[in-house]
Amino acid sequence: MSKTAAEIRQEFIDFFKERAHSYVPSSPVVPHDDPTLLFTNAGMNQFKDVFLGTGTRPYARAANSQKCIRAGGKHNDLDDVGHDTYHHTFFEMLGNWSFGDYFKRDAIAWAWELLTERWGLDPSRLHATYFGGDPTQGLEPDLEARDLWKELTGLPDEQIHPGDATDNFWEMGESGPCGPCSEIHIDLTADKTGARLVNAGSDQVIEIWNLVFIQFNRRPDKTLDPLPAKHVDTGMGFERIAAVIQGKRSNYDTDVFTPLFAEIQQVTGAPAYTGSLESGSGTASEQEMVDISYRVIADHIRTLTFALSDGAYPDKDGRGYVLRRILRRAVRYGWQYLRMHEPFLYKLVPAVVKTMGAAFPELRAKLGRVIEVVEQEERSFSKTLGRGIALFEEAADVARTQHHNEIRGEDAFKLHDTYGFPIDLTQIMAEERELRVDLGEYERLMEEARERARHGGAVQVSGFAALQADLVTPFGPTDDSQKYETREVDGTVRAMVLLDQTGGIVIRDDDQPILPGHDAGLIVDRTSFYGEQGGQVGDKGVIGGDGIRFDVERTRRFGDTVVHFGTLVQGEIRVGQTIRMTVDEHREVTKQNHTATHLLNWALRETLGNHIEQRGSLVDSERTRFDFSHPMAVSVDEIAKIESLVHAEIQKAAPVYAQDAPQQDAMKINGLRAVFGEKYPERVRVVSIGAAVDELLANPEKPEWRRHSIEFCGGTHVTNTEEIGHFAITVEEAVAKGIRRIVGVTGGAAQLMEQIGEALVQQAESLKGVTPEEAADGIQAVQGAIQQSDVPLRHRARIQEAIAAVQRTLKQARKADAQDAVELVKTRLDALLDEPPVINGTSVIVAEMPNVPAEQLKHGADIIKQKRESAAILFGVHVPAEDEDGGSGKVVLLAAMTDDLIRRGVKAGDLVKHVAPIVKGGGGGPPTMAQAGGKEPEKLVEALEAGLSWISERL
């Protein structure tokens, strides 16, 4: 009986423990302490500091099996997984290391002993490589390693091969530790004639172990110095050696994967795994796609289980986005090829833990968390997956008929942006249909989206992010009470926060000035600036004086100390200097938005119920954003009621009161709202709209106070609700389970958005009765305008209702057109089937068809195939141009073959590929039915004649 994978892993570790190696547990696959890596991708990662000379270990020899992920970044095997027998995103790396202890002789001798004596591999099948030198880099060949292979193993010269720097010289980076490496390959050819295939990328001769000899240090000028202490770093792919020892030609046939395959079949009910690979002759068969899906899903659930167990989490960027891509790739294969239209991946996690938990016990501890996260991600993606696949199919049809087999960049972007399809998933789906993706246009649209996101994000002052309160509070509290009364006040500079040449923070309170062009944070004794706190952004403005201008870009509060970050534009500033603090006019709009936030919070409770709790907010001069607890989306009718309540309070011109009070007394006020989980000081600031704080404190239990907005708040507010002017809700969305978000605008911005929304409603309603082409263009224009502006939600709903009415009308018109097309095709088919040409028992139908949609052509071809046991079909259609600039129009070609012809090698895809170039077009498709497009309808007759000749020759 062959060894199990678990036995192979343990035997490797035991072999080196017997040779005085310390067993070192695998480091996490998520390298939390190494920002240069997305994932741990090699066993040496946790020993990088030793190789760099910046760290040590209490041992000189080590061995382990390291958890690794290669997906994203420089080392990325994701695209290959599933399509061959040996690529994985998650794998184990068996390794042994020497830190200045043994070197080449022992490394080579022990590797040979383990492979041939302990594991019994045939020496005549093993090949060794060594570094053959590189004169361009001044590197000598590693003749020492070559000679040791001869001496220690008895390998003949024909089994020892020199290699170039790409394969046989290892470097950690542009500079630093490096050295030659020596690989061991196994020849899997039937007659052991694979010597010529070493390092040739063949699955007949594969690398199983790499021995790296770290003996040089590369300087920045590219010269090499010998290292005083030489190291050994080896790595052997666990899944690959398991396949070799178990006599399998595929890693996926080992017991590393077979339990997962059994669980996949049990969970999904899919056909059994057969191990088939793509034949390379065009579109893969159904069973081939099923087998690819098994490999993808098994690999990806291993990656997800290990990464999530080690603290990673699916997200929108970085390693989190890589994991999200991996999960969605697996879900898509399950959806399309295993017919799993409900979450299933999370059900496979226990099988991974059962298989791997003994070797990696941390998996067992995190089982529940991993299942929960995977299921949540699956359910989220499943909501859009079906619609996304439908959109892809539409995009693929457009690519075949109009875009030379290229998916448009705008379609790829929409799949990503709206339906959550990572671009590599779209590329895979395109390749399955022999299509490509316009990546240039996709990247352009992505960069536009990133630019919009950048401008929409919060302002950051670079370099000062590490500033902590304990560094600034020694310079005393800042009197910022004037922030509620005025935008301008004089103050005295107490200290300046600066950055040194290394980017470190320095705080100065000496008499040395800062000069123009310098970034700094100013600490003053008093200010009118609001320091970022409680959801309200910090103020911007100008600090001035005699010949001085300091532009404040951000104001932050550290305890009771306020720091003004910005850039000195003119003059000099010293500690002790008196300066004039002036907040810019955007503060006034921020005040409007903040008071509107309080009214929104009150109106939400009035409309949705007292369960509403604030979960976060962001108030600036552009909008108010409010997060709150609520189990479901807020309906359009509820949005309208909330807006109406806020508007009523604005129209009342209610006074806004703010007053400090003892927390103990303030907490007794009936209807007061505080942020859940927030810790408040002994004295709090009470902000009340429409009821004086003195009255609230004097009679805290009065029932009528519940009809007012009363909150603890340290922010700036208007003095009267009339100053808000107007209010409109532009966004309502989920941010987490049970947490909703509303975004609103006030004043002139709200009025402008209302006007734009009303104009778009009228524009959408005006599309009733126009031509289908005009309606389609009009709908696209309206939807584009919505995306470009913050149209209020109430108007969005009215716009969508108007568009839906227009689309219903168009659908009815298309239905009528389709019925007409059916009749046209039927009439034409009756004539064609009357007495069609027959060649050796096959009816040959080659004809120009009326201008009908491609679906009707396909339906016509199916009718012929049903009526004729053997038929070869080629239809051509001249589609006139829609306008005068469109030239003579375009061509649509459709070919179809009955099954008997396909068995004889006569395929529809081959036929359209042959004739499409005649009309300056291209296309393709499966053997049964294929489609193409073209630009020169004047050559349609010539193309049909060529098609007839092509069919005749093959029959």
Side-chain angles (χ1 to χ4, degrees):
M1 181 178 178
S2 64
K3 300 177 188 294
T4 66
E7 290 170 341
I8 293 168
R9 182 194 297 111
Q10 193 59 49
E11 285 182 359
F12 177 89
I13 293 169
D14 290 343
F15 179 87
F16 283 101
K17 285 172 69 175
E18 292 164 6
R19 287 151 184 79
H21 288 63
S22 296
Y23 170 70
V24 180
S26 170
S27 63
V29 79
V30 179
H32 297 290
D33 57 350
D34 188 347
T36 66
L37 284 175
L38 277 176
F39 300 102
T40 300
N41 56 34
M44 58 76 60
N45 289 159
Q46 68 170 307
F47 304 118
K48 185 189 290 188
D49 61 325
V50 179
F51 297 137
L52 290 171
T54 60
T56 60
R57 297 292 187 277
Y59 43 80
R61 302 179 179 186
N64 78 359
S65 182
Q66 172 64 48
K67 305 175 290 188
C68 298
I69 290 177
R70 288 187 178 173
K74 178 181 176 183
H75 301 287
N76 184 9
D77 291 337
L78 179 58
D79 292 342
D80 296 316
V81 170
H83 297 281
D84 58 28
T85 61
Y86 52 88
H87 275 105
H88 311 288
T89 55
F90 173 85
F91 63 97
E92 292 179 61
M93 182 74 80
L94 301 173
N96 60 287
W97 292 271
S98 165
F99 307 122
D101 187 27
Y102 64 84
F103 202 46
K104 296 180 185 178
R105 173 176 289 274
D106 288 335
I108 290 172
W110 288 337
W112 187 257
E113 180 184 354
L114 176 62
L115 291 176
T116 60
E117 297 180 23
R118 185 68 60 92
W119 284 341
L121 300 189
D122 182 356
S124 66
R125 288 192 176 275
L126 298 179
H127 293 253
T129 66
Y130 67 94
F131 179 51
D134 188 340
T136 63
Q137 300 186 55
L139 295 173
E140 297 293 328
D142 186 9
L143 301 181
E144 178 187 8
R146 181 198 65 182
D147 295 341
L148 285 171
W149 280 111
K150 291 182 180 181
E151 174 192 345
L152 299 173
T153 69
L155 279 175
D157 289 345
E158 56 268 23
Q159 288 176 241
I160 303 175
H161 312 267
D164 60 19
T166 301
D167 292 318
N168 285 90
F169 197 87
W170 177 87
E171 302 196 52
M172 184 176 289
E174 293 294 321
S175 60
C178 58
C181 56
S182 197
E183 300 170 336
I184 304 172
H185 298 248
I186 187 165
D187 182 353
L188 300 176
T189 62
D191 54 1
K192 304 180 185 180
T193 58
R196 70 188 186 285
L197 300 176
V198 171
N199 274 337
S202 170
D203 60 1
Q204 295 292 299
V205 178
I206 59 173
E207 174 198 340
I208 55 175
W209 206 343
N210 188 16
L211 316 179
V212 179
F213 308 124
I214 304 174
Q215 63 188 86
F216 299 114
N217 180 63
R218 187 179 290 283
R219 293 174 174 270
D221 64 4
K222 302 304 180 185
T223 59
L224 297 175
D225 291 331
L227 286 172
K230 295 177 172 60
H231 311 298
V232 171
D233 165 26
T234 86
M236 174 161 54
F238 169 64
E239 293 80 6
R240 187 171 290 187
I241 194 63
V244 169
I245 293 173
Q246 293 180 4
K248 308 295 185 183
R249 296 305 296 266
S250 166
N251 295 358
Y252 291 97
D253 292 338
T254 68
D255 63 337
V256 175
F257 287 96
T258 50
L260 292 181
F261 286 175
E263 190 68 12
I264 291 170
Q265 186 176 21
Q266 174 69 29
V267 168
T268 67
Y273 177 74
T274 67
S276 65
L277 295 170
E278 293 161 285
S279 61
S281 58
T283 306
S285 71
E286 184 174 345
Q287 184 60 51
E288 288 170 353
M289 292 310 302
V290 166
D291 287 345
I292 289 172
S293 301
Y294 267 98
R295 292 189 288 268
V296 167
I297 292 167
D299 171 89
H300 290 5
I301 194 59
R302 278 167 36 104
T303 299
L304 292 164
T305 302
F306 275 90
L308 297 178
S309 294
D310 280 348
Y313 195 87
D315 207 340
K316 61 183 179 181
D317 50 30
R319 67 169 63 99
Y321 183 59
V322 174
L323 294 178
R324 182 163 284 167
R325 286 167 52 203
I326 288 171
L327 183 144
R328 293 182 174 187
R329 190 172 187 260
V331 170
R332 199 279 303 193
Y333 273 98
W335 180 290
Q336 281 199 280
Y337 300 112
L338 304 188
R339 304 294 185 263
M340 285 304 295
H341 294 179
E342 60 184 33
F344 71 97
L345 274 183
Y346 75 95
K347 298 178 182 178
L348 304 176
V349 174
V352 177
V353 175
K354 182 178 180 181
T355 305
M356 308 293 287
F360 303 101
E362 62 271 21
L363 296 179
R364 293 170 175 164
K366 300 295 178 63
L367 174 61
R369 175 185 180 273
V370 174
I371 290 174
E372 180 181 358
V373 172
V374 172
E375 183 180 8
Q376 287 176 350
E377 282 286 313
E378 277 193 277
R379 292 196 183 281
S380 174
F381 186 43
S382 295
K383 293 176 182 176
T384 60
L385 178 58
R387 297 195 299 274
I389 289 175
L391 173 63
F392 176 84
E393 296 298 346
E394 294 174 10
D397 283 341
V398 171
R400 293 190 189 98
T401 59
Q402 302 176 30
H403 286 272
H404 308 292
N405 293 327
E406 185 172 69
I407 301 287
R408 296 180 301 179
E410 61 193 81
D411 290 327
F413 175 76
K414 185 174 182 181
L415 282 166
H416 172 275
D417 193 52
T418 305
Y419 298 102
F421 279 43
I423 185 60
D424 51 347
L425 177 55
T426 301
Q427 288 179 283
I428 290 168
M429 296 171 68
E431 289 168 4
E432 290 171 359
R433 290 156 179 77
E434 299 182 340
L435 302 172
R436 59 189 182 278
V437 178
D438 184 351
L439 291 177
E441 177 66 5
Y442 166 80
E443 288 295 344
R444 186 188 70 77
L445 293 169
M446 282 295 293
E447 184 54 37
E448 284 185 1
R450 295 186 193 104
E451 189 66 24
R452 288 194 297 271
R454 281 193 288 269
H455 288 305
V459 175
Q460 297 290 331
V461 179
S462 61
F464 295 105
L467 183 62
Q468 299 295 321
D470 58 354
L471 295 176
V472 297
T473 52
F475 297 96
T478 304
D479 175 8
D480 62 349
S481 59
Q482 293 300 305
K483 66 191 177 188
Y484 299 124
E485 308 299 331
T486 180
R487 291 195 291 120
E488 192 168 88
V489 71
D490 290 340
T492 302
V493 179
R494 283 179 172 170
M496 298 182 290
V497 183
L498 303 171
L499 298 176
D500 63 20
Q501 293 181 347
T502 66
I505 290 176
V506 176
I507 300 184
R508 281 179 23 202
D509 59 355
D510 55 26
D511 62 354
Q512 293 297 311
I514 59 170
L515 302 177
H518 280 80
D519 294 336
L522 301 185
I523 302 173
V524 297
D525 63 339
R526 61 198 300 262
T527 184
S528 54
F529 281 68
Y530 181 86
E532 184 175 308
Q533 187 181 24
Q536 180 175 328
V537 299
D539 283 331
K540 297 181 180 181
V542 175
I543 293 175
D546 289 338
I548 296 170
R549 179 186 172 108
F550 182 90
D551 289 346
V552 180
E553 300 165 7
R554 182 179 184 184
T555 308
R556 294 181 62 193
R557 188 181 184 91
F558 298 86
D560 291 328
T561 304
V562 177
V563 184
H564 310 75
F565 294 101
T567 305
L568 182 60
V569 178
Q570 180 180 339
E572 298 180 356
I573 294 182
R574 288 180 168 84
V575 171
Q577 188 170 351
T578 299
I579 52 179
R580 172 63 56 91
M581 325 279 293
T582 305
V583 178
D584 77 11
E585 60 188 16
H586 289 99
R587 154 81 77 79
E588 300 306 313
V589 187
T590 302
K591 288 163 63 176
Q592 293 174 203
N593 287 341
H594 203 155
T595 306
T597 305
H598 284 219
L599 291 176
L600 171 62
N601 189 3
W602 166 80
L604 282 166
R605 295 197 313 276
E606 291 292 305
T607 304
L608 303 178
N610 282 324
H611 65 281
I612 298 296
E613 294 284 353
Q614 181 175 340
R615 288 290 185 262
S617 66
L618 176 65
V619 179
D620 58 22
S621 61
E622 294 183 357
R623 65 185 67 84
T624 173
R625 192 185 77 195
F626 189 78
D627 298 345
F628 57 97
S629 57
H630 191 57
M632 64 192 73
V634 185
S635 70
V636 175
D637 288 343
E638 289 168 333
I639 292 288
K641 182 178 179 182
I642 292 164
E643 285 185 341
S644 177
L645 287 170
V646 173
H647 282 140
E649 292 299 307
I650 292 172
Q651 291 165 5
K652 284 180 183 178
V656 179
Y657 300 94
Q659 184 177 316
D660 288 349
Q663 183 201 132
Q664 188 174 2
D665 294 339
M667 280 293 196
K668 299 175 183 177
I669 298 172
N670 187 20
L672 177 128
R673 303 299 291 188
V675 178
F676 179 80
E678 184 79 15
K679 291 184 178 180
Y680 294 99
E682 290 184 5
R683 288 192 66 80
V684 293
R685 186 167 182 262
V686 180
V687 175
S688 169
I689 299 176
V693 177
D694 284 338
E695 293 183 29
L696 299 175
L697 294 171
N699 300 285
E701 298 180 1
K702 287 180 70 171
E704 67 184 68
W705 298 150
R706 299 192 69 85
R707 297 198 296 270
H708 295 270
S709 166
I710 309 167
E711 298 189 31
F712 291 161
C713 180
T716 59
H717 290 270
V718 298
T719 59
N720 186 294
T721 57
E722 190 176 34
E723 297 172 38
I724 298 172
H726 204 70
F727 177 73
I729 293 174
T730 60
V731 174
E732 193 283 333
E733 62 187 2
V735 292
K737 187 176 181 180
I739 306 295
R740 307 299 299 181
R741 170 174 292 169
I742 279 180
V743 178
V745 291
T746 65
Q751 290 176 323
L752 176 61
M753 290 303 104
E754 294 266 8
Q755 292 167 6
I756 292 174
E758 195 61 43
L760 289 174
V761 169
Q762 295 176 12
Q763 185 176 342
E765 290 176 343
S766 72
L767 299 176
K768 298 174 182 176
V770 302
T771 66
E773 292 77 13
E774 291 172 335
D777 291 343
I779 289 171
Q780 186 175 5
V782 170
Q783 291 174 332
I786 290 175
Q787 293 175 354
Q788 295 297 319
S789 58
D790 293 328
V791 176
L793 287 182
R794 288 181 295 105
H795 291 83
R796 287 175 186 254
R798 291 170 59 197
I799 291 166
Q800 294 306 326
E801 288 174 6
I803 288 176
V806 174
Q807 289 174 330
R808 285 193 295 272
T809 302
L810 290 176
K811 184 176 181 180
Q812 292 169 355
R814 282 195 296 269
K815 185 176 181 180
D817 290 343
Q819 189 59 44
D820 291 342
V822 168
E823 293 301 321
L824 283 172
V825 171
K826 185 176 182 300
T827 301
R828 182 75 170 119
L829 290 183
D830 289 343
L832 291 173
L833 291 173
D834 189 16
E835 291 185 4
V838 177
I839 302 176
N840 292 328
T842 296
S843 298
V844 179
I845 313 292
V846 177
E848 183 172 353
M849 297 292 284
N851 180 19
V852 297
E855 285 303 315
Q856 301 306 326
L857 293 180
K858 294 176 183 178
H859 181 62
D862 287 337
I863 290 174
I864 294 175
K865 290 166 71 173
Q866 291 169 8
K867 292 187 175 183
R868 293 288 187 272
E869 291 185 4
S870 179
I873 304 156
L874 177 61
F875 291 154
V877 175
H878 173 197
V879 182
E882 295 179 359
D883 54 55
E884 295 180 359
D885 296 332
S888 56
K890 61 183 181 180
V891 170
V892 175
L893 296 168
L894 183 118
M897 302 290 170
T898 49
D899 291 342
D900 63 307
L901 298 184
I902 295 170
R903 289 191 292 271
R904 292 164 59 184
V906 184
K907 300 177 182 179
D910 295 341
L911 174 54
V912 296
K913 287 178 181 177
H914 175 73
V915 299
I918 297 173
V919 290
K920 292 293 187 290
T928 53
M929 188 174 294
Q931 191 172 326
K935 300 177 181 177
E936 295 189 359
E938 59 271 17
K939 294 187 177 181
L940 175 57
V941 173
E942 181 183 343
L944 293 174
E945 291 174 349
L948 179 59
S949 298
W950 187 91
I951 293 169
S952 301
E953 290 171 4
R954 283 155 180 75
L955 296 180

